[in-house]
């Protein structure tokens, strides 16, 4: 049995019976020469005798235990002898066993590592090329005047590590991975330290990933928090360390990492936050960017400058502890924190950028080049729209239980000048102006009245406004107020529900739906009389565009925001061309509708929308239980639509279409009309509309002259 069996000579000696002597050296060979002794009867002992003998031996050993052997006795001589050599052989066997199994483990680890490197060499691309390539396209969005209002994607501004100030990389290493230059991609020391800190804090306070592991995840893996992904991350990190030098890995990391606020890479972050190249960063600015890496969405200076500065102080302290800077330098940088570059950018332009990113693939087929997208956005108007939404919601919100608003402003040809998708993009990226579909309420009534005009009715035709049942359904007016005999112009101004339902019942539901389609409204419309009250769901963008024919003389429009798409090099990929959808409303009916909707502003539910000498018209809308408030109004220059409500569909408190929506509309339209001369809205090139007054709907009785004048007062 070999030495690797684990049974040494000393162990076999301990297994021998009590009292047995160790054979003398050479005794075994002498016994072989003499031959084995013959068995005798005296040598056969019973089990009882052996037991008694054993007991005697044990008893004598207990009696002699602890006694000092007599001088000159055999025991004394035995005690003076040297210990046998078998203890040394036991130690050598243990050492040899450890070395053997260590060598076996090292061989298998080497084989596994070689296999790992070979596998990733075949399956993963060159990381250096991956660092130079973009994760998707880079997109720069320009306003109407050429102002940059948003950027998306990874910038091509790749910066070399040797071009950066030393304190830039030192700041990142000090706060993220102080043992970066000493570990092979995975740091057991740092990982253990992080786990201990997290255990003591009873929460996640430190991360155990190295910079190489973070780069591996950024380049090739997803962000799933699974054991499999973590193991793959470690494997790719080891491969990166094997394939590249430490400085190359750090360079790739700095050009790929996310710094918050849609800034990917150190150079793009430096330009976005401080308005300079990464090579020009100061120590304070470098510390602030390094501090944002822990939680880019929360600690970036655009989101929370105070928190970003506090985190930068932690980075500076870590740099001092690591020996990168002196205490005096730390104090100086802390007392002079970094400040953001002041830029004239519209607030919440991210709603626009997201929408454009969704629609760009419809216009271009080049998905490799970085793009510059020119838009129809007016930056001053966009900024005003977002500021007024935030301001009014702050003052109205709590009192009236309203938390969200959306707004769209466009030119009569469909060019969007401003669009606000919500109150705060950081808290909610859902674009309520484009993607939100809400019940539209009374802003659908102009479609009903236009259908009636095309069927032969006139603005001064009379209808009976009184409680009326339609089969088993009875519509009610707001606050149960009824006006008796009322002209259509007045019925639209006061938003009579009964009058709208009667009109649609007379001209037909299908015909009304056909008119809605002609104006550009999409979606399903149920063929029920309640449609007259706006029970259908539409987006604010579509509803605002459907009012454009009233402002432009009767032409349908397709709302657009992208005017031109080109590559960074200047190659044009797309240019907007005006679509001619033709005349969808006769000029005479346009003028009649403008007259009626103008009456809504002058005498009806939207009195607060007056803009001095400017000719404005529009319609308010309020859905059941005050869940949605709408106003869409227009002039010869702009059409603006406003929606207010709550995402959870909770009823508002006292908010109707003639309240907060009209106030927001007026705020923005005042800004839009500054410096513009008043212009009257009349369909050009058409004869004046002939007024056919005193026609009554539902009766043959003629109304005396003067009735409408009194009613309209």
């Amino acid at each position: 049995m070999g030495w690797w069996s684990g049974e040494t000579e000393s162990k076999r000696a301990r297994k021998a019976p009590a009292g047995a002597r160790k054979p003398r050296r050479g005794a075994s060979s002498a016994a072989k020469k003499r031959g084995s002794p013959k068995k005798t009867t005296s040598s056969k002992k019973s089990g009882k005798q052996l037991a008694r003998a054993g007991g005697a031996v044990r008893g004598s050993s207990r009696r002699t235990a602890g006694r000092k052997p007599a001088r000159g006795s055999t025991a004394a001589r035995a005690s003076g002898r040297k210990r046998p050599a078998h203890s040394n052989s036991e130690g050598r066997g243990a050492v040899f066993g450890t070395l053997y199994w260590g060598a076996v483990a090292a061989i298998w680890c080497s084989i596994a590592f070689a296999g790992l490197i070979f596998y990733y060499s075949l399956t993963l691309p060159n990381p250096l090329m991956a660092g130079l390539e973009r994760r998707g396209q880079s997109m720069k969005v320009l306003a109407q005047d050429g102002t940059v209002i948003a950027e998306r994607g990874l910038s091509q501004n790749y910066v070399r590590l040797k071009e950066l100030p030393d304190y830039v990389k030192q700041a990142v290493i000090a706060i993220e991975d102080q043992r970066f230059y000493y570990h092979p991609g995975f740091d057991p020391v740092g990982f253990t330290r992080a786990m201990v800190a997290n255990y003591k804090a009873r929460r996640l306070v430190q991360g155990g990933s190295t910079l190489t592991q973070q780069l591996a995840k950024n380049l090739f893996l997803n962000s799933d928090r699974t054991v499999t992904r973590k193991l793959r991350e470690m494997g790719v990190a080891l491969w990166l360390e094997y394939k590249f030098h430490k400085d190359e890995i750090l360079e790739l990391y700095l050009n790929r990492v996310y710094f918050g606020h849609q800034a990917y890479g150190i150079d793009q972050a430096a330009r976005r936050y401080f308005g300079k190249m990464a090579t020009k960063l100061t120590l304070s600015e470098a510390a602030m960017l390094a501090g944002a890496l822990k939680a880019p969405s929360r600690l970036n200076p655009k989101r929370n400058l105070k928190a970003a500065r506090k985190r930068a102080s932690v980075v500076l302290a870590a740099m001092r502890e690591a020996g990168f800077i002196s205490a005096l330098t730390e104090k100086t940088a802390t007392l002079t924190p970094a400040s953001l570059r002041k830029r004239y950018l519209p607030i919440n332009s991210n709603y626009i950028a997201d929408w454009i990113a969704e629609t760009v693939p419809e216009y271009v087929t080049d998905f490799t080049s970085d793009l510059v997208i020119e838009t129809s956005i007016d930056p001053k108007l966009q900024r005003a729209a977002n500021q007024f939404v935030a301001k009014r919601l702050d003052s109205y919100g709590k009192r009236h239980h309203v938390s969200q608003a959306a707004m769209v402003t466009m030119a009569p040809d469909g060019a969007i000048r401003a669009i606000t998708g919500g109150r705060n993009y950081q808290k909610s990226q859902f674009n309520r102006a484009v993607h939100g579909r809400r019940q539209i309420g009374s802003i659908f009534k102009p479609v009903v009245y236009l259908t009636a005009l095309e069927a032969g009715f006139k603005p001064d035709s009379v209808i009976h406004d009184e409680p009326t049942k339609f089969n088993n359904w009875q519509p009610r007016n707001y606050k149960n107020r009824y006006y008796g005999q009322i002209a259509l112009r007045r019925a639209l101004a006061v938003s009579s529900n009964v009058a709208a339902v009667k009109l649609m019942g007379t001209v037909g539901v299908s015909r009304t739906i056909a008119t809605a389609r002609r104006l550009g409204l999409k979606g399903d419309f149920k063929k029920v009389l309640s449609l007259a009250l706006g029970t259908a769901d539409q987006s604010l963008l579509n509803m605002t565009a459907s009012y454009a024919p009233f402002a432009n003389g009767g032409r349908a429009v397709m709302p657009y925001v992208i005017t031109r798409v080109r590559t960074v090099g200047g190659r044009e990929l797309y240019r907007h061309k005006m679509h001619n959808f033709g005349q969808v409303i006769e000029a005479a009916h346009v003028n009649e509708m403008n007259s009626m909707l103008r009456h809504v502003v002058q005498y009806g539910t939207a009195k607060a929308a007056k803009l001095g000498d400017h000719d404005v018209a529009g319609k308010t809308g309020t859905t059941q239980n005050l869940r949605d408030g709408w106003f869409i109004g227009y002039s010869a220059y702009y059409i603006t639509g406003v929606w207010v409500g709550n995402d959870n569909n909770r009823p508002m408190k006292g908010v109707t279409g003639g309240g907060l929506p009209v106030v927001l509309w007026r705020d923005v339209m005042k800004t839009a009309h500054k410096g513009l001369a008043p212009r009257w809205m009349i369909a050009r090139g058409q004869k004046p509309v002939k007024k056919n007054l005193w026609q009554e709907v539902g009766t043959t009785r003629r109304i005396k002259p003067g009735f409408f004048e009194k009613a309209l007062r």
Side-chain angles (χ1 to χ4, degrees):
M1 188 176 294
W3 55 269
W4 58 86
S5 65
E7 185 178 354
T8 61
E9 187 179 353
S10 60
K11 290 182 180 180
R12 292 194 298 272
R14 285 195 294 271
K15 290 181 181 180
R21 282 188 172 184
K22 185 179 179 181
R24 295 189 307 273
R25 184 174 298 176
S28 59
S29 58
K32 289 179 181 178
K33 291 180 182 179
R34 291 193 299 266
S36 301
K38 294 181 180 181
K39 295 181 180 180
T40 58
T41 55
S42 61
S43 63
K44 296 179 181 179
K45 294 183 178 181
S46 65
K48 292 182 179 180
Q49 291 174 323
L50 289 174
R52 284 196 297 269
V57 172
R58 285 194 297 271
S60 63
S61 62
R62 283 196 295 268
R63 287 192 298 268
T64 58
R67 287 186 189 174
K68 188 175 181 180
R71 188 174 183 180
S73 65
T74 305
R77 289 194 300 269
S79 63
R81 295 175 185 165
K82 293 183 179 180
R83 294 192 62 183
H86 67 264
S87 59
N88 294 332
S89 63
E90 178 183 357
R92 286 195 300 269
V95 172
F96 290 153
T98 303
L99 292 176
Y100 173 79
W101 288 113
V104 171
I107 292 172
W108 281 110
C109 287
S110 300
I111 294 173
F113 180 73
L116 187 71
I117 297 301
F118 179 74
Y119 170 75
Y120 285 126
S121 298
L122 292 178
T123 58
L124 296 180
N126 188 334
L128 187 57
M129 293 306 298
L132 295 172
E133 293 173 355
R134 295 165 309 285
R135 182 177 292 173
Q137 288 176 299
S138 170
M139 184 183 73
K140 183 178 292 185
V141 182
L142 307 182
Q144 190 180 26
D145 61 355
T147 304
V148 178
I149 59 175
E151 291 179 279
R152 286 290 184 272
L154 188 62
S155 175
Q156 248 185 335
N157 299 325
Y158 190 93
V159 59
R160 298 292 179 184
L161 188 66
K162 61 183 179 181
E163 299 173 356
L164 294 171
D166 289 339
Y167 48 72
V168 173
K169 67 176 184 180
Q170 290 169 351
V172 174
I173 291 174
I175 198 65
E176 289 292 316
D177 188 1
Q178 291 191 12
R179 290 172 46 82
F180 173 69
Y181 283 101
Y182 304 101
H183 61 67
F186 172 72
D187 185 11
V189 176
F191 181 79
T192 304
R193 183 174 60 247
M195 293 303 101
V196 171
N198 295 336
Y199 176 78
K200 290 181 178 179
R202 294 294 190 272
R203 61 187 179 90
L204 186 63
V205 294
Q206 292 186 19
S209 295
T210 64
L211 288 181
T212 314
Q213 287 177 268
Q214 295 179 43
L215 177 63
K217 181 178 69 174
N218 189 284
L219 286 174
F220 305 116
L221 305 173
N222 54 38
S223 299
D224 295 342
R225 293 189 174 184
T226 61
V227 176
T228 303
R229 201 273 300 164
K230 196 67 177 178
L231 292 175
R232 289 192 65 200
E233 177 187 291
M234 293 170 59
V236 177
L238 293 173
W239 175 66
L240 288 172
E241 292 278 350
Y242 171 79
K243 195 172 183 65
F244 292 97
H245 188 270
K246 286 286 189 179
D247 285 345
E248 292 176 322
I249 293 173
L250 184 57
E251 181 179 300
L252 283 168
Y253 176 83
L254 290 174
N255 281 280
R256 296 284 302 189
V257 72
Y258 181 55
F259 287 91
H261 204 69
Q262 301 300 320
Y264 291 88
I266 187 73
D267 193 71
Q268 192 178 73
R271 293 174 187 271
R272 180 152 303 175
Y273 296 132
F274 309 119
K276 60 177 67 175
M277 297 183 294
T279 55
K280 304 295 183 181
L281 286 171
T282 65
L283 174 60
S284 299
E285 293 166 345
M288 184 172 287
L289 292 181
L293 294 174
K294 180 180 180 181
S297 299
R298 179 170 54 87
L299 295 176
N300 76 75
K302 283 279 188 181
R303 176 69 182 275
N304 191 333
L305 183 59
K306 184 178 179 180
R309 285 176 171 172
K310 185 177 180 181
R311 177 66 177 169
S313 300
V314 176
V315 175
L316 292 170
M319 293 179 71
R320 175 183 52 78
E321 292 174 0
F324 293 136
I325 59 175
S326 64
L328 178 61
T329 304
E330 177 199 356
K331 184 177 180 180
T332 303
T334 303
L335 294 176
T336 56
S339 298
L340 289 172
R341 176 181 65 162
K342 294 183 179 179
R343 301 177 67 188
Y344 187 73
L345 289 178
I347 304 170
N348 286 349
S349 57
N350 287 308
Y351 286 118
I352 303 170
D354 287 351
W355 182 38
I356 289 174
E358 295 171 7
T359 57
V360 160
E362 300 176 11
Y363 304 105
V364 300
T365 57
D366 183 354
F367 300 106
T368 58
S369 303
D370 284 343
L371 302 179
V372 177
I373 299 174
E374 301 174 9
T375 71
S376 58
I377 295 295
D378 182 338
K380 293 182 179 180
L381 192 55
Q382 178 67 55
R383 185 180 183 187
N386 288 287
Q387 285 180 337
F388 284 128
V389 165
K391 177 182 176 181
R392 294 298 182 182
L393 287 179
D394 286 343
S395 58
Y396 278 78
K398 289 184 179 180
R399 283 185 297 150
H400 298 283
H401 300 168
V402 54
S403 60
Q404 283 295 348
M407 183 182 296
V408 175
T409 298
M410 65 175 63
D413 65 352
I416 295 175
R417 302 303 184 198
I419 187 165
T420 302
R423 182 177 189 172
N424 190 318
Y425 179 85
Q426 299 295 337
K427 293 183 178 179
S428 173
Q429 291 79 46
F430 180 66
N431 193 331
R432 295 156 188 82
V434 177
H435 301 301
R437 295 177 62 86
R438 306 285 296 210
Q439 198 174 84
I440 52 181
S442 294
I443 59 172
F444 184 76
K445 287 178 181 176
V447 179
V448 178
Y449 281 79
L450 174 59
T451 308
L453 294 177
E454 292 175 339
F457 291 89
K458 297 299 178 181
D460 292 312
S461 297
V462 176
I463 195 167
H464 291 290
D465 182 29
E466 59 187 3
T468 306
K469 270 194 175 184
F470 299 87
N471 295 327
N472 295 324
W473 174 59
Q474 180 176 339
R476 299 180 183 275
N477 286 347
Y478 182 62
K479 293 185 177 180
N480 288 319
R481 185 177 181 182
Y482 301 92
Y483 298 88
Q485 293 187 89
I486 188 171
L488 298 190
R489 187 194 314 274
R490 177 65 174 167
L492 183 59
V494 298
S495 198
S496 169
N497 289 336
V498 173
V501 174
K502 279 187 175 182
L503 272 181
M504 195 168 75
T506 303
V507 301
V509 178
S510 298
R511 192 170 182 176
T512 305
I513 293 174
T515 303
R517 302 281 189 210
R518 197 161 18 106
L519 295 177
L521 295 180
K522 306 173 184 178
D524 296 328
F525 294 97
K526 294 182 179 180
K527 294 183 179 181
V528 292
L529 287 177
S530 61
L531 178 62
L533 307 184
T535 55
D537 294 338
Q538 289 289 324
S539 70
L540 176 62
L541 178 63
N542 285 342
M543 286 305 305
T544 305
S546 72
Y547 276 60
F550 301 139
N552 65 24
R555 298 180 303 277
V557 301
M558 177 72 73
Y560 68 94
V561 68
I562 299 175
T563 58
R564 184 173 177 241
V565 180
R566 58 182 171 85
T567 64
V568 174
R571 180 165 57 94
E572 186 176 279
L573 302 177
Y574 167 79
R575 183 183 289 272
H576 177 75
K577 295 180 181 179
M578 293 301 299
H579 297 285
N580 185 10
F581 295 103
Q583 196 82 7
V584 294
I585 309 176
E586 290 183 9
H589 297 147
V590 171
N591 289 327
E592 289 175 332
M593 285 301 305
N594 286 342
S595 172
M596 297 171 73
L597 292 171
R598 189 181 293 122
H599 210 75
V600 175
V601 176
Q602 294 297 324
Y603 307 104
T605 57
K607 293 179 183 178
K610 296 175 184 177
L611 288 178
D613 294 334
H614 286 281
D615 181 25
V616 296
K619 183 68 186 79
T620 60
T622 308
T623 61
Q624 194 171 16
N625 297 326
L626 306 181
R627 287 190 171 90
D628 303 275
W630 300 81
F631 180 64
I632 299 179
Y634 58 93
S635 69
Y637 295 101
Y638 296 103
I639 307 106
T640 294
V642 179
W643 167 87
V644 299
N646 297 300
D647 289 338
N648 60 5
N649 216 28
R650 184 183 67 172
M652 297 176 288
K653 185 179 180 180
V655 177
T656 64
L660 178 58
V662 171
V663 173
L664 278 170
W665 183 92
R666 185 187 58 201
D667 288 338
V668 173
M669 291 292 268
K670 273 187 175 180
T671 303
H673 285 79
K674 282 183 180 179
L676 298 178
R679 185 189 298 174
W680 196 256
M681 291 182 290
I682 298 178
R684 296 180 178 181
Q686 302 292 332
K687 295 180 180 180
V689 178
K690 293 181 180 180
K691 296 182 179 180
N692 184 12
L693 301 177
W694 328 126
Q695 180 180 357
E696 182 182 1
V697 178
T699 179
T700 58
R701 186 169 61 88
R702 304 287 293 181
I703 302 299
K704 295 180 181 180
F707 172 83
F708 293 106
E709 285 76 7
K710 293 180 181 179
L712 295 177
R713 294 194 195 103

